[in-house]
Every structure is written in C-alpha cells, then in structure tokens.
Amino acid sequence: MAQSRGQFSSKIGFLLAAAGSAVGLGNIWGFPTQAASNGGAAFLVVYLILAFLLAYPALMAELTIGRYSKANVVTALANLNPRAPFSQLGWLVGFAAVAVAVIILSFYALVAGWMLAEFFAPLAAKLANQEASLWFKTGHFQRDALMCAGMSTLTVLIIARGVENGIEAWSTRLMPLLFLILIGLIGYVLMQPGASDGLKAYLIPDIGRLLDPALILSAMGQAFFSLSLGVGTMLIYGSYLRDTDNLPRMGASVTLLDTGFAFTAGLLIIPAIYVAQAQGVAVYSDSGELIAGPGLIFQVLPALFAHMGGAGDWMAIAFFALMSIAALTSAISLLEVPVSICVERWQLSRTKAAWLSGGVIFSLSVLIIWQFDALFSLAITASTVYGQPLLGVTLCLFAGWVLSRKKLLSELAKGHPEIESSLFWKIWPTYVRFVCPALIILTFVQSLR
Ligand code: TRP
C-alpha cells in the first residue's frame, strides 16, 4: 500500500493544490462580505492576526500528522499511538472528521452548482435565447440538482485521476487562471465610478470595532473555514508531501496565499458593492443592513452587471467562472478525504472510491435541495460552527500530546535540518498543546452564549 500512495511531484504542485483547497467560495464570497458588514479593514486586521495566530498552528498540526503517518485521517489518527484508548479515540475522531467533510461537501457542491448556473445564464442568453437564460437564473429543483450533479461529476473525474495527475495537475492549471480572472475583474471594477469609496471602506479600519467579540468570532470561523481545517483535508494533502519539503515553510506559504487571495478578492467585491450603489442598485436591505449573504452574489452583483450593458455579460461570465473554478479546486480536496479512506482501508480502486463517495455525497446534496429550508443552514451550522472548531482543537491535541515531542521533531527535521534552533520549534510545540486549543475553545464557548 505504501508504495502505491500518490505524492505531489513538486513544491509548487503542493502549494497550488493546498492553496486550491483553501481558496474557494470562503475567500471570494465569505471573506469580503464579512469584512463589508463588520467594519471593513477592522475585520481584515483581526482576520490576518487570527489566521497566523490560530489557523496557521492548527494547519501545521494537520500537515505534520499527515506527513508523519502517510495515511488518511482515520488511519493516521488511530496509528499515532497504537495503545488503548488513544487508538480507539483516534479512530473515532477520524470518522467524525470524515463525516464533517462529507456534510461540508454536500452543501458546498450545491452552492458551487449555483455558481455554475449563473455562469451559464449569460452564456445561454448569448448563444441561445432569453428563455434558456431564465431557466439557469431561476432556482428550482431540476436546475439545482443538475448543476450540482455537474459540479460533483467534475470533482469525481479529477479525484479519480489521482494525486499527481488529478489534484496537482488540475490545481496547477486552474489556480493561475483563477488569479488572472480576479485581477482582470478588479482592474475593470476599479475604473468604475464609486469604486474609490469602496476602497476607502475596505482599507480604512473602524478602530472601534477591533475588539468586538462578534467580529473576532466571525474572523476565527472564517479563518478556519478558509484554511480548510479540522476535517482532514490538509492532513491528507500533507500526507502526499515529500519528506524533503520544509513543513513550516509550506504551511506558512499556504496561509499567506490564502489570506492574500482573500484580501485581493476584497478589492473586487467591496468596490463592486459601491459601484453598484453609484449605479442605483439597492445594496442595503430595508432594515438598513448591507446585503451580504446570497443577495449580494445573486442580486446585487448581477444587477450591477446588467447596468454595465454589453460588457456586463462578459463580466458576469468571468465572475461566475471565477467562482466555479474556486469552488471546484476546494471541492476536490473535500472529496479526497473519504476517497483516501475507501482506497487505503477498504482497498477500493481509486475510480470506484471516487464515484462511490461522490455518489453518496451527491445524494445528500439532493436531500438538501429537496428539504432546503430544513437542511441547508442546519448542515452549514453543524459542520462549520460546531464540527470544524471542535475537530480543530482535537487535531491540535493529537499533534501536541499523542505524537511525542521527539517524533514531532524528527518529522519536522526531515525537510528542515536546522529546525531545532528555529523560532518555530521554540514556540509551536507548546503552543499547539496549550495555547491554540485554549484560544479556540474560548472563542467557541463565547459563540454559544
Ligand atoms: N476553504 C474552502 C473555501 O474557502 C472550502 C473548503 C475546502 C473547506 N476544504 C475544506 C472548508 C475543508 C472546511 C473544511 O471555500
């Protein structure tokens, strides 16, 4: 089994794949809208601090456990210490992580399908007729299920091709494209009237809000979601890293790429909100709040594109291509969690494992589409508000307490021989044992009150 495991073929391949997982709807939609409704740059500052103070150490816990074990999340956690009760505990936490990954993907693929539908709507208007375009624009069971099936199929096809030819090859193709589309869109939006007001709102912090507990909480949730933590995605990607790669540096680069992308996406979305306002599009709801949720993506931005005339259609196509691509490279990392287990524990072929896991998750998505009001926000809350932080803490504890200091050191030293004298080694082992779990729990408990 060990020989047949996939591996990333290069540093850049891993970085683009891990950044592909991290950069998703959370960065382009979640981050800018949270920033817009939470004091602009104040949110940005807190987010950046938490990303490096809480999310980076937790990311390192996952990457290190992954590369040390060279296995999927269940096997990895169960084998860290083979004695009872650690092994049973590891097994349990591992399966909880898979369950959360499956739930996240079941709603994520659905939202990704909406992005695909919005991408096809202006295309259909250009290539076919208004009626076809309207079919894509209006939410209904067939559209949602079909678009979600499309996204799920793409995800399965990439994952079935394996680590190097699937995950790495497609992340390497799609991530640069994603960045180019984003830069192009920013260039266009910043030239429109009203954009500079958006830049001001985004970049000048409302200092008074820096210590607002609600803001800190949203920023932590956002950082954990954005870095794909707690469900074993980063663990499995870490397990495909070569021993010669320097883990702390890789983790730091992924964190920087992720936060950098979120920041850059803010340069598009927040000015776009102000440009829309300057064009007479309603950007505040009746109760005076900024329209930040689905309304922003599906009403405000499309209304802005419609105001732009001919260029607007192309803007819409480019924007929703951006969203669909970002969602796809994230979805593949979520699907890899169950697939790696089917392959490594149950000896299924990769292709079978991918179609089987993808099929199960797609049935869950269909269930959510069917019982949308009851299930959609329930799935999101259960997995991201509860599942992710609690599992994040557990993974820190496993790295800090179950894996001995000696083993941690020898694992990290593989790609970084001078690790013992580094600042990282002076701080992180203790930090991941005490400080990180305590801070995450504290923030989590705050949120329950
Ligand atoms: N991080 C991605 C985003 O920002 C989503 C994602 C991929 C994710 N893998 C994950 C979220 C694992 C939580 C856990 O959109």
Side-chain angles (χ1 to χ4, degrees):
M1 187 183 79
Q3 302 90 312
S4 67
R5 281 198 105 235
Q7 202 176 46
F8 290 113
S9 71
S10 64
K11 282 196 185 61
I12 187 81
F14 166 78
L15 283 179
L16 290 176
S21 165
V23 171
L25 301 175
N27 299 60
I28 308 177
W29 178 358
F31 173 78
T33 54
Q34 297 235 32
S37 42
N38 278 302
F43 186 82
L44 176 65
V45 171
V46 175
Y47 177 76
L48 288 179
I49 295 174
L50 290 187
F52 281 91
L53 228 57
L54 280 184
Y56 170 64
L59 170 67
M60 285 311 301
E62 282 202 39
L63 291 180
T64 314
I65 296 178
R67 200 182 61 181
Y68 170 81
S69 320
K70 301 239 178 336
N72 61 81
V73 61
V74 175
T75 310
L77 294 180
N79 291 356
L80 279 190
N81 181 341
R83 271 174 303 171
F86 296 108
S87 179
Q88 285 76 2
L89 210 64
W91 190 88
L92 211 71
V93 174
F95 271 108
V98 185
V100 175
V102 164
I103 299 176
I104 294 183
L105 185 51
S106 65
F107 74 76
Y108 202 84
L110 163 58
V111 178
W114 292 341
M115 301 302 158
L116 203 58
E118 294 285 337
F119 167 76
F120 282 130
L123 264 187
K126 284 207 175 307
L127 302 176
N129 51 41
Q130 282 306 327
E131 202 184 327
S133 172
L134 205 63
W135 187 87
F136 283 109
K137 269 213 119 359
T138 331
H140 49 82
F141 186 86
Q142 283 93 334
R143 181 203 75 162
D144 288 358
L146 202 71
M147 293 294 112
C148 177
M151 266 293 172
S152 307
T153 308
L154 288 177
T155 311
V156 166
L157 288 176
I158 294 179
I159 283 300
R161 304 205 52 166
V163 180
E164 201 180 327
N165 297 328
I167 301 175
E168 180 174 344
W170 281 95
S171 305
T172 313
R173 280 174 206 146
L174 295 176
M175 291 308 285
L177 180 65
L178 195 66
F179 192 69
L180 285 179
I181 300 180
L182 180 64
I183 296 299
L185 284 169
I186 292 175
Y188 188 81
V189 164
L190 288 187
M191 288 185 313
Q192 306 301 311
S196 57
D197 292 334
L199 279 184
K200 276 191 214 127
Y202 184 37
L203 298 176
I204 302 174
D206 176 357
I207 308 277
R209 297 205 52 181
L210 275 180
L211 294 176
D212 178 354
L215 184 154
I216 296 177
L217 191 81
S218 328
M220 180 180 90
Q222 181 58 36
F224 266 68
F225 186 80
S226 190
L227 268 176
S228 309
L229 294 179
V231 304
T233 52
M234 287 302 179
L235 191 150
I236 190 72
Y237 275 22
S239 82
Y240 299 138
L241 255 175
R242 299 172 307 183
D243 280 342
T244 43
D245 290 325
N246 179 336
L247 281 178
R249 182 170 306 155
M250 289 295 199
S253 310
V254 173
T255 313
L256 268 176
L257 282 171
D258 183 51
T259 46
F261 206 99
F263 172 75
T264 315
L267 293 176
L268 169 68
I269 303 289
I270 297 179
I273 299 175
Y274 284 78
V275 172
Q277 193 179 28
Q279 305 225 1
V281 176
V283 300
Y284 289 96
S285 66
D286 293 340
S287 56
E289 302 220 350
L290 193 73
I291 302 175
L296 174 72
I297 299 292
F298 301 119
Q299 289 161 23
V300 176
L301 294 182
L304 168 64
F305 299 145
H307 270 275
M308 290 177 163
D313 275 346
W314 294 111
M315 287 285 290
I317 293 171
F319 179 75
F320 286 105
L322 176 81
M323 293 296 243
S324 306
I325 294 171
L328 181 61
T329 55
S330 298
I332 58 177
S333 73
L334 282 158
L335 186 63
E336 182 62 16
V337 176
V339 167
S340 58
I341 290 168
C342 296
V343 171
E344 292 177 3
R345 291 187 77 93
W346 300 318
Q347 275 81 43
L348 250 62
S349 75
R350 209 169 218 290
T351 311
K352 268 202 196 112
W355 283 104
L356 181 71
S357 311
V360 169
I361 294 168
F362 178 64
S363 342
L364 292 178
S365 304
V366 171
L367 199 67
I368 298 180
I369 299 173
W370 179 46
Q371 291 295 332
F372 189 83
D373 293 337
L375 295 181
F376 184 64
S377 40
L378 181 69
I380 296 182
T381 312
S383 56
T384 65
V385 180
Y386 294 92
Q388 272 194 292
L390 291 178
L391 284 164
V393 171
T394 320
L395 289 172
C396 287
L397 294 175
F398 267 87
W401 296 91
V402 182
L403 204 61
S404 69
R405 225 182 129 84
K406 214 172 85 209
K407 285 186 184 149
L408 272 185
L409 183 63
S410 71
E411 185 55 45
L412 289 166
K414 281 181 188 161
H416 185 5
E418 321 81 61
I419 183 96
E420 244 184 306
S421 55
S422 70
L423 185 65
F424 181 82
W425 183 252
K426 291 198 181 85
I427 298 174
W428 183 72
T430 318
Y431 194 87
V432 80
R433 282 183 140 191
F434 300 102
V435 185
C436 211
L439 287 178
I440 299 173
I441 289 180
L442 202 76
T443 320
F444 177 69
V445 170
Q446 279 279 330
S447 73
L448 299 183
R449 291 197 304 164

